[in-house]
Amino acid sequence: AIPQGGLFEWIACPHYLGEILIYFSLCLLAPGNATCALLVLLFVLTNLAARARDTLAWYHRRFPPSSIPPGWRALVPFVF
């Protein structure tokens, strides 16, 4: 079944978006030179964005178009 409720109404992977926001917050809180935290954020962002794209494609292959919310995006509402 296609998940419903909350951010699932707009995106396929809101849990991935939440994780990216957590790592972004850690970058903001990193003391001094945040290069390591930034690199970790970049890795998490690229990895989860690719997984979210693939997850959305899977939903489109597995379920009829009428059951997928109109305008559903992979990771960022109204954008991607």
Side-chain angles (χ1 to χ4, degrees):
I2 293 180
Q4 297 176 344
L7 282 176
F8 280 111
E9 299 298 322
W10 295 286
I11 57 178
C13 300
H15 47 299
Y16 291 173
L17 178 60
E19 188 169 345
I20 291 167
L21 292 174
I22 289 169
Y23 279 96
F24 178 74
S25 298
L26 290 174
C27 277
L28 294 177
L29 296 173
N33 187 355
T35 303
C36 183
L38 188 59
L39 290 174
V40 169
L41 173 64
L42 183 62
F43 171 78
V44 168
L45 179 62
T46 56
N47 183 42
L48 292 182
R51 296 305 93 208
R53 182 198 61 215
D54 293 346
T55 299
L56 183 62
W58 180 84
Y59 278 117
H60 280 283
R61 285 192 312 272
R62 177 110 165 105
F63 295 96
S66 61
S67 65
I68 296 175
W72 215 32
R73 303 293 185 194
L75 188 62
V76 180
F78 313 108
V79 179
F80 170 73

